[in-house]
Structure formats: structure tokens, C-alpha cells
Amino acid sequence: MTSTLELKHREIVGSRPGPHLLVTGGVHGDEFEAMSAIRQLVDFVDPGKLSGRLTLIPVVNEPAYLRGQRTAEDGLDLARTCPGRADGSTTEQIAHALSGYIRSADLYLDLHSGGVALCLLPLVGYMLHSNEAVLAKQRRMARAFNLPLIWGTSPHLDGRSISVARDASVPAIYAEYRGSGLCNPQGVRDYVEGCLGVMAEFGMIDRPRPASNVEHFIEDARPHSGHLQICHPAPITGFFEREVELGQRLERGEPIGRIVDILGEQVYPIHAEQRGLVICVATFSRVLQGTGLAVVLETDR
């Protein structure tokens, strides 16, 4: 019989009844803001003043983290492998273990960043759940997390941690914050504040509600909305010379950058496919064919 892999975690049990909140980071091994923030949460939560239970997993994908890469040695993306298999490869086993934690929770926060290759505008996202009660809680969670952009997207993207939550009707949101292989100090602080904000919203702790930082609230149920990696794909493997910054507004057809080959003989301009806000851009200059180079979000939807 195959035993379930155990993920390293901290458990804080409150003195009063309340919801069970799961917070995870490090689904990808090169996303560092969440790892730091989740470790720091331990110092901000007093069990004697906590209602409910808090489960913290700073580094879900430890093999990928130890490699300093997005994935473990089997090359599988954990965010496309859930719910996984107990008898599968390393990533499939981790996905299976993570899925068990998710199903046991009442609320779920999955914290990310752009890793080595991408940089993202601070945002909170969720799937547009068919259950109105679950969706209403996700909207509350997103507003309480209090980042500038809230993005509700297609409910039909599978393989993710939040698709496990979707199938189990566990209200869940994810967050993205910068990246480029760095650990942004403001991102760590905002992630800690965001987690505490969600806990306060659902009565787990007593904490004043801060002023809202939300600038955009967008819900888009179109197929593949929320799938960052398919936007503006690279036509060849080459060197990406970007011409945009995060938060920049573009009109359709305006330049995002260009890709050149090693000698600079082949040049492929990349233009915005729609007007909107640049919320994600590749910052690792060598890109592989098919890699998503940028996401331009239509903020007027």
C-alpha cells in the first residue's frame, strides 16, 4: 500500500471554534515572496486569540525549491498536475498530498509570484464557481486580501490547486506578486497583511479593516481566461527585448517587444492583441518557443 507523502507544515489551533484556513506557498520552487510571508504569519497569530484553525505550508514543492527551479526533477508543473496520484512521480505525489489538505479546509489561500521567468502586477484571482455561496465567499476573500487587482476567471481550467478546491466546493483564491527570481519585501508584507485580512473577514481574528487598495475588479468567464502562459506566445526560441513595464496601458497593436535569434538576423515583433493593462511580462531574456511573453488585461470588461 502506498502511503501519502507528508508536506512540511505548521498548525495553529485556536482557543475558540471557527473555520479552518489553509495557506500554501511554493507550489513552484522559484516563487519566494509567499514562502517568506507564510513563515512570518506564525509570529502574527496568537492561538489564544484565534478562532478556528490555521494550516501553513510555506513550501509545497520542496524538491523544486531545492533545485531552485519551477519544477521538480520529473519536469511536471505542479499547478497542472493536481489532484495527482499517491503512486505517481514526485510531482504527482506532492499534488496528491496537497489535494488532501485542500479538501480538509474551509477556506484556501494559494500564494504565488512570477518565479525566475516572469513578473506580475500584484493581483488576487479565483475561479467563477457555479455555486453562488462559494463564489460569494471567494469575492469576500479577494476583497479582504486587498491587492490592487481582483480577477475572476474561467471555472474550467484543470490541474490546479484551486481546481481541486473548486471540485470540493472549498472557497479559494490565489495571489500573484512580482517575481523575477527575487523576494520583494513589499510583497512579503502585503501577503502577510492579505492573509490577516482574510482571517479577520471570516472572524478568525479581531483586526480593524484597512482602507481598500482595490483598483480593478474584473470577472471574465471566457474560456482560458486566467491562463497566463498562453498569452502572446513566443514564435521562436530566442532573446526577448521587452518594451513595456508592469502597469503600462497599451492599445491593440502597440509593441510589447521583439524576439531576435542569436545573431540578430531573425526579428519577430510582438504586438498587443488587445487594449488594456500589462499585468504580466517575461523578464528572463532567453525565451523558448511557445512561452507566454506578456498578459494584457482588458480592464473595461
Side-chain angles (χ1 to χ4, degrees):
M1 181 178 293
T2 302
S3 60
T4 299
L5 183 75
E6 181 71 19
L7 303 180
K8 293 179 182 176
H9 66 283
R10 297 288 297 271
E11 195 91 5
I12 304 176
V13 179
S15 58
R16 298 180 296 272
H20 175 201
L21 173 65
L22 171 66
V23 186
T24 63
V27 163
H28 299 118
D30 58 353
E31 299 178 358
F32 303 120
E33 286 85 352
M35 300 178 190
S36 179
I38 294 171
R39 286 193 296 268
Q40 291 185 27
L41 268 177
V42 175
D43 298 326
F44 283 85
V45 178
D46 180 355
K49 298 179 179 179
L50 175 67
S51 297
R53 179 156 57 107
L54 180 63
T55 301
L56 304 172
I57 309 179
V59 184
V60 171
N61 197 342
E62 188 173 352
Y65 166 71
L66 294 175
R67 297 177 80 217
Q69 297 182 21
R70 182 176 176 85
T71 67
E73 65 276 3
D74 60 9
L76 295 178
D77 185 341
L78 179 54
R80 304 292 180 270
T81 307
C82 292
R85 291 169 32 200
D87 60 348
S89 69
T90 297
T91 302
E92 289 172 322
Q93 291 182 46
I94 294 171
H96 178 77
L98 173 61
S99 298
Y101 281 98
I102 294 169
R103 296 185 188 109
S104 73
D106 299 314
L107 304 166
Y108 177 39
L109 305 178
D110 188 20
L111 310 184
H112 291 260
S113 65
V116 170
L118 300 173
C119 195
L120 289 108
L121 206 65
L123 67 89
V124 176
Y126 53 87
M127 287 187 174
L128 292 169
H129 206 285
S130 59
N131 184 316
E132 285 296 330
V134 172
L135 181 57
K137 285 186 177 181
Q138 291 180 158
R139 288 170 175 155
R140 286 175 61 195
M141 294 167 72
R143 287 197 178 277
F145 206 89
N146 206 22
L147 292 182
L149 172 61
I150 296 175
W151 192 19
T153 58
S154 169
H156 303 301
L157 300 179
D158 294 327
R160 293 155 166 77
S161 58
I162 60 169
S163 63
V164 174
R166 173 202 65 199
D167 294 344
S169 292
V170 175
I173 63 173
Y174 68 93
E176 301 278 5
Y177 206 118
R178 303 293 173 177
S180 301
L182 305 175
C183 185
N184 184 286
Q186 187 61 51
V188 175
R189 290 190 289 270
D190 285 351
Y191 269 1
V192 171
E193 288 295 310
C195 293
L196 295 174
V198 171
M199 293 175 70
E201 174 69 19
F202 287 86
M204 298 181 70
I205 60 174
D206 185 16
R207 197 167 191 264
R209 177 176 293 182
S212 176
N213 294 322
V214 177
E215 299 173 8
H216 302 284
F217 189 105
I218 298 164
E219 292 189 336
D220 180 1
R222 290 179 296 179
H224 304 299
S225 66
H227 193 169
L228 303 177
Q229 288 78 11
I230 64 172
C231 298
H232 300 97
I236 63 166
T237 294
F239 191 96
F240 179 45
E241 299 174 346
R242 66 184 171 97
E243 300 177 33
V244 295
E245 300 296 333
L246 282 181
Q248 183 175 334
R249 290 192 173 275
L250 295 178
E251 295 294 326
R252 182 174 181 175
E254 286 193 308
I256 289 174
R258 63 180 196 162
I259 296 180
V260 300
D261 66 358
I262 289 175
L263 295 178
E265 295 173 343
Q266 299 182 64
V267 179
Y268 293 85
I270 309 298
H271 297 99
E273 296 172 354
Q274 65 271 328
R275 68 187 298 268
L277 190 70
V278 178
I279 66 165
C280 176
V281 66
T283 52
F284 194 74
S285 295
R286 192 275 291 135
V287 295
L288 300 177
Q289 185 177 15
T291 300
L293 301 175
V295 178
V296 179
L297 182 63
E298 298 170 277
T299 55
D300 56 352
R301 287 191 61 81

